[in-house]
Amino acid sequence: MTTQIPALLIIDMQQAMAMPQAGERNNPQAEANIARLLAAWRAGDLPVIHVRHMSRTPGSLFWPGQSGAEFQPVFQPLDSEMVFEKNVPDAFTHSALERWLHVRGIRRLLLVGVSTNNSVESTARSAGNLGFDTLVVSDATFAFARADYHGTPRSADEVHAMALANLDGEYARVLSTGQALALLAADSPAAGRHGGEALP
């Protein structure tokens, strides 16, 4: 049986993402919004999936066994929640994520985490191409400043906005944390107490 409530897919919320070495970022409220969504999904006993990056490059902050590769404490998975590890940006590549979702009849995904233009975008593209109804939460994701192909410095907000523009209407639908909570409340009355703004 296929469920209309999306699984919450939390991408790469690891300790390295909070380290100064990660660089200048945007959306300082992202962690709080992810925590709000995680609390709502847990309260509704809904599917939560954690993805973490395990680098194959020695010296990386995400090298297995390093503190940077560990989940941030607030996003530590429960025993009942699924964890997928990856070593490329896309959470579907070389993993059993797609099959795991199909077996459970899950056809909708709500993506949060980091970074918007890297693991979030690549995972959302694959999800959309594989036929999943894919939602990306704009204020529960964040990016880091970087230079563009021509060498022009781009702020974290610019990188984030461009990544969302790449996805919206093509591979996914972009929405806010409030809209995601409203969507949950509409599909699951028991979760309605979490509140949220109306969907457009």
Side-chain angles (χ1 to χ4, degrees):
M1 182 176 179
T2 299
T3 178
Q4 292 302 308
I5 299 175
L8 178 63
L9 187 63
I10 303 175
I11 300 175
D12 295 356
M13 290 307 296
Q14 295 159 261
Q15 294 186 31
M17 292 302 184
M19 294 179 176
Q21 301 96 306
E24 176 191 340
R25 56 166 283 188
N26 72 325
N27 278 6
Q29 78 285 5
E31 285 86 349
N33 286 332
I34 297 170
R36 286 176 64 199
L37 292 166
L38 179 57
W41 257 249
R42 284 175 172 173
D45 195 25
L46 300 170
V48 175
I49 304 162
H50 301 262
V51 175
R52 66 175 172 182
H53 190 78
M54 305 300 278
S55 178
R56 294 179 292 188
T57 303
S60 168
L61 295 175
F62 299 95
W63 183 255
Q66 301 297 313
S67 61
E70 300 302 317
F71 288 109
Q72 295 179 25
V74 70
F75 302 117
Q76 187 67 35
L78 300 179
D79 290 341
S80 59
E81 295 169 352
M82 192 63 187
V83 176
F84 287 94
E85 295 186 349
K86 63 181 179 63
N87 46 48
V88 296
D90 179 11
F92 285 94
T93 299
H94 307 309
S95 80
L97 175 57
E98 182 185 5
R99 183 177 185 278
W100 189 92
L101 294 168
H102 281 306
V103 166
R104 287 154 183 81
I106 298 171
R107 301 300 303 157
R108 303 185 86 186
L109 296 174
L110 186 74
L111 273 59
V112 301
V114 63
S115 58
T116 321
N117 60 302
N118 196 356
S119 293
V120 173
E121 183 173 349
S122 60
T123 299
R125 284 173 178 261
S126 285
N129 285 334
L130 290 168
F132 290 96
D133 181 9
T134 306
L135 309 169
V136 177
V137 186
S138 61
D139 55 357
T141 50
F142 60 97
F144 297 94
R146 62 175 300 166
D148 67 19
Y149 183 73
H150 299 293
T152 303
R154 300 295 180 182
S155 70
D157 270 334
E158 290 175 318
V159 174
H160 177 76
M162 193 70 246
L164 295 178
N166 290 339
L167 294 173
D168 194 32
E170 294 289 338
Y171 304 94
R173 179 161 61 118
V174 176
L175 70 170
S176 68
T177 296
Q179 289 172 328
L181 290 171
L183 181 66
L184 174 61
D187 286 339
S188 178
R193 62 182 181 275
H194 296 282
E197 63 198 77
L199 286 167

